[in-house]
Amino acid sequence: MELKQVIIAYKARDPQSKRWAEICASQLEHRKCHVLMGPSGPKDNPYPVFLASATQQIDLAIVLGGDGTVLTGARHLAQAGVPILAVNVGGHLGFLTESVEEFQDTESVWDRLLEDRYAVQRRMMLQAAVYEGQGSDLEPITENYLALNEMCIKPASADRMITSILEMEIDNEVVDQYQGDGLVISTPTGSTGYTVSANGPIMHDGMEAITITPICPMSLSSRPIVLPPGSVVSVWPLGDFDLSTKLWTDGVLATSIWPGHRIDVRMADYRSKFIILRENYSYYQVLREKLLWAGTRVRYNSKHSAN
């Protein structure tokens, strides 16, 4: 990897994250690297400026924060093909990030990147758009929205909890109608996020598949479904008299959905790319550590020993 132009996004209003960003920028600039740096948060989006200001190819994005900060970076950088080195600074679970311990000796990290001593993990994403019209004669009325974790279709209201009634098609065939709090349409990466909270399955992040998980359905027969990656999931809101149905991408409000609209969700044309520094990276170790499974508490002298 070359390090001629690098962008650094740090968690907004987090002093520790900003301090690490300044250290990284200083070191990289000393190595004759052009650095673009800025905060990322609910009210701060540096990526349009980064991409518009880049005078040459962006070799790397360093994202310092938690999973939310990383998800924002992935949505904006996937289309440009920029690899992300994500470090958990000021975050919580950190499913998508390298631990800050792996990042303590930053000078050695730059050496490893320059010497290509790292792995690249490509993760499937979802894209969604809203359509309007009758029958098969539908026209898109929004841009394509990207998500690394999930697309969520659910109502939002400031004054009461609203029951959502949604009809779902898969590849133009009506499958079910859901009455409850909404639907989560997830990637394998997102299966350990909102999906697992809604009692959906955990999928290995090396897979390509789409999971549909009802949120608090009123019917016990409404169950999660796992689909092949080429499937197209279409959702129609029904009975939305308050015009409250919304499309959320990775927990961020994307757009409102009006009566007669349809949302199509499918595998995205782009994949996010993550730099892996850990030499013995294990997805199952991540699950044990982040979800506090028994494997984090039970220790044996050898793999199969009962002693």
Side-chain angles (χ1 to χ4, degrees):
M1 174 186 290
E2 293 184 328
L3 293 177
K4 294 182 178 178
Q5 181 150 261
V6 170
I7 62 178
I8 302 175
Y10 59 89
K11 184 177 180 180
R13 288 168 290 282
D14 182 73
Q16 183 185 15
S17 178
K18 183 178 181 180
R19 181 175 61 83
W20 274 103
E22 291 169 345
I23 292 171
C24 293
S26 176
Q27 293 176 351
L28 288 168
E29 287 171 347
H30 187 70
R31 292 173 178 249
K32 311 301 182 185
C33 174
H34 182 236
V35 177
L36 299 170
M37 185 177 76
S40 175
K43 298 181 180 179
D44 301 278
N45 181 6
Y47 295 102
V49 175
F50 285 161
L51 295 172
S53 303
T55 56
Q56 55 187 311
Q57 176 182 333
I58 299 173
D59 299 306
L60 177 68
I62 301 168
V63 180
L64 305 167
D67 287 337
T69 311
V70 177
L71 289 169
T72 301
R75 289 195 303 274
H76 286 89
L77 298 174
Q79 188 170 353
V82 178
I84 297 172
L85 174 56
V87 184
N88 189 14
V89 181
H92 298 291
L93 282 176
F95 266 100
L96 298 171
T97 57
E98 297 281 336
S99 69
V100 72
E101 288 75 19
E102 294 277 348
F103 202 64
Q104 289 293 330
D105 186 359
T106 47
E107 291 287 8
S108 69
V109 170
W110 316 137
D111 291 337
R112 285 184 61 181
L113 294 175
L114 289 166
E115 296 166 7
D116 292 334
R117 292 189 290 118
Y118 60 90
V120 178
Q121 186 179 57
R122 291 171 171 82
R123 292 176 179 251
M124 167 190 161
M125 302 183 75
L126 294 174
Q127 66 184 45
V130 179
Y131 292 80
E132 184 177 48
Q134 297 294 327
S136 59
D137 187 22
L138 296 175
E139 294 291 333
I141 60 171
T142 66
E143 60 182 299
N144 272 332
Y145 300 101
L146 284 177
L148 175 58
N149 263 5
E150 77 278 315
M151 300 287 181
C152 185
I153 302 159
K154 64 177 183 177
S157 174
D159 54 1
R160 66 188 184 92
M161 295 176 64
I162 298 175
T163 297
S164 180
I165 306 174
L166 304 171
E167 182 170 281
M168 182 184 70
E169 295 180 357
I170 299 174
D171 298 332
N172 297 317
E173 179 178 350
V174 175
V175 175
D176 202 355
Q177 289 183 357
Y178 298 96
Q179 189 169 354
D181 288 359
L183 283 177
V184 181
I185 304 172
S186 170
T187 66
T189 297
S191 69
T192 51
Y194 198 174
T195 292
V196 77
S197 299
N199 219 21
I202 292 177
M203 294 188 291
H204 194 287
D205 58 14
M207 294 177 60
E208 290 188 348
I210 300 172
T211 298
I212 302 168
T213 305
I215 308 170
C216 300
M218 293 186 176
S219 170
L220 294 177
S221 66
S222 296
R223 297 295 178 184
I225 306 174
V226 180
L227 307 175
S231 303
V232 178
V233 181
S234 302
V235 180
W236 304 79
L238 305 176
D240 184 8
F241 304 109
D242 296 320
L243 309 180
S244 58
T245 305
K246 314 289 184 186
L247 173 66
W248 309 77
T249 62
D250 292 335
V252 177
L253 178 62
T255 187
S256 297
I257 305 160
W258 302 86
H261 287 176
R262 185 188 83 191
I263 309 158
D264 279 4
V265 181
R266 66 188 75 208
M267 183 170 69
D269 299 327
Y270 314 101
R271 287 169 174 76
S272 56
K273 297 193 291 187
F274 286 88
I275 301 295
I276 303 297
L277 295 176
R278 285 162 286 179
E279 296 181 0
N280 298 313
Y281 173 81
S282 165
Y283 176 71
Y284 308 108
Q285 180 183 353
V286 173
L287 290 180
R288 291 196 302 270
E289 292 177 352
K290 304 302 181 182
L291 299 180
L292 300 179
W293 285 354
T296 59
R297 300 187 295 273
V298 178
R299 292 290 181 268
Y300 300 107
N301 292 330
S302 65
K303 184 186 293 185
H304 302 293
S305 172
N307 297 327

